[in-house]
Amino acid sequence: MRIISGKLKGRRLRAPKNLPVRPTTDMAKEALFNILNNQYYFDSIAVIDLFAGTGNISYEFASRGTKTVFSIDANYNCIRYINETAKELDLDISTYKSDVYKYLETTSLQADIIFADPPYDFEEEKFLAIVDLVFEKNLLKEDGVLIIEHSKHTKLSNHKNHSYDKRYGGNVFSFFELSSEDISDEEE
């Protein structure tokens, strides 16, 4: 796994073999950040990384200047690895060891970008539960986006907040944003 850009551009990281993870490939990560780079100033946003695993996505945001990065994972060893790596690389990343669904139920944090990389073998309902919680709990800032990484076999495009998909090999990034319905509900 490699940091694509920012102050740590090109830095290679080796996660312990015993972590229960499937890190986002460098190719897919680079493509994702090319999209985000055109929409956000990384030094002025807040990011929540759900199912953070190795912290791959969190390091990329922090390397690009994002000061507010929250990494959430239920696995103690993943959280420990992220903490150790962030300290070693002098990156400001806050970690929370928590079940993602419980975290979404209880947090009051809002973010510009929420990234979720759940296990690919999840049932579609579990993916959609993430989307529902993010929008029910109003966890995105005004022009924020929820991005869920999943396999090409999972279809999330029927959700009312779905904007578009980007495919890279067997990986798909589904983007979700506030719908006009959500915005009119907030104004009432």
Side-chain angles (χ1 to χ4, degrees):
M1 143 177 89
R2 164 176 74 89
I3 296 176
I4 307 294
S5 190
K7 70 180 185 179
L8 296 170
K9 180 180 181 176
R11 179 75 181 257
R12 293 205 172 275
L13 301 171
R14 300 220 188 289
K17 296 276 187 240
N18 64 342
L19 296 182
V21 297
R22 175 203 31 77
T24 303
T25 65
D26 288 348
M27 181 195 78
K29 183 171 63 169
E30 186 168 10
L32 171 66
F33 276 86
N34 284 340
I35 294 167
L36 297 176
N37 198 39
N38 292 320
Q39 298 174 345
Y40 295 96
Y41 293 106
F42 292 116
D43 60 354
S44 63
I45 62 170
V47 173
I48 299 173
D49 183 6
L50 303 172
F51 302 95
T54 61
N56 186 12
I57 296 295
S58 296
Y59 307 137
E60 193 67 43
F61 276 110
S63 176
R64 292 167 185 250
T66 304
K67 309 267 185 290
T68 308
V69 180
F70 298 94
S71 298
I72 291 75
D73 202 283
N75 185 286
Y76 170 78
N77 290 323
C78 288
I79 292 298
R80 188 175 73 197
Y81 176 73
I82 295 169
N83 284 332
E84 289 169 358
T85 304
K87 185 176 180 184
E88 176 188 326
L89 300 176
D90 193 29
L91 297 174
D92 192 15
I93 296 172
S94 301
T95 58
Y96 294 94
K97 182 193 169 302
S98 175
D99 171 82
V100 163
Y101 299 96
K102 286 181 184 160
Y103 174 82
L104 292 173
E105 284 279 354
T106 59
T107 190
S108 59
L109 289 172
Q110 279 194 316
D112 299 281
I113 299 172
I114 299 177
F115 180 83
D117 186 7
Y120 274 19
D121 63 357
F122 267 14
E123 298 292 320
E124 190 175 303
E125 295 76 36
K126 289 182 91 172
F127 283 98
L128 293 172
I130 296 165
V131 182
D132 289 339
L133 281 167
V134 165
F135 288 98
E136 285 168 14
K137 299 293 184 176
N138 195 29
L139 301 180
L140 285 176
K141 292 184 181 178
E142 188 174 331
D143 291 318
V145 64
L146 166 65
I147 305 162
I148 298 183
E149 182 176 350
H150 56 89
S151 84
K152 63 183 179 182
H153 304 293
T154 302
K155 303 285 183 257
L156 304 178
S157 57
N158 291 332
H159 195 280
K160 71 174 184 161
N161 295 98
H162 181 267
S163 295
Y164 61 95
D165 288 336
K166 288 289 187 179
R167 297 177 190 280
Y168 303 97
N171 295 9
V172 178
F173 294 113
S174 286
F175 291 74
F176 299 86
E177 299 171 305
L178 285 173
S179 68
S180 52
E181 250 174 73
D182 296 319
I183 293 167
S184 62
D185 288 348
E186 283 179 11
E187 291 171 355
E188 289 175 6

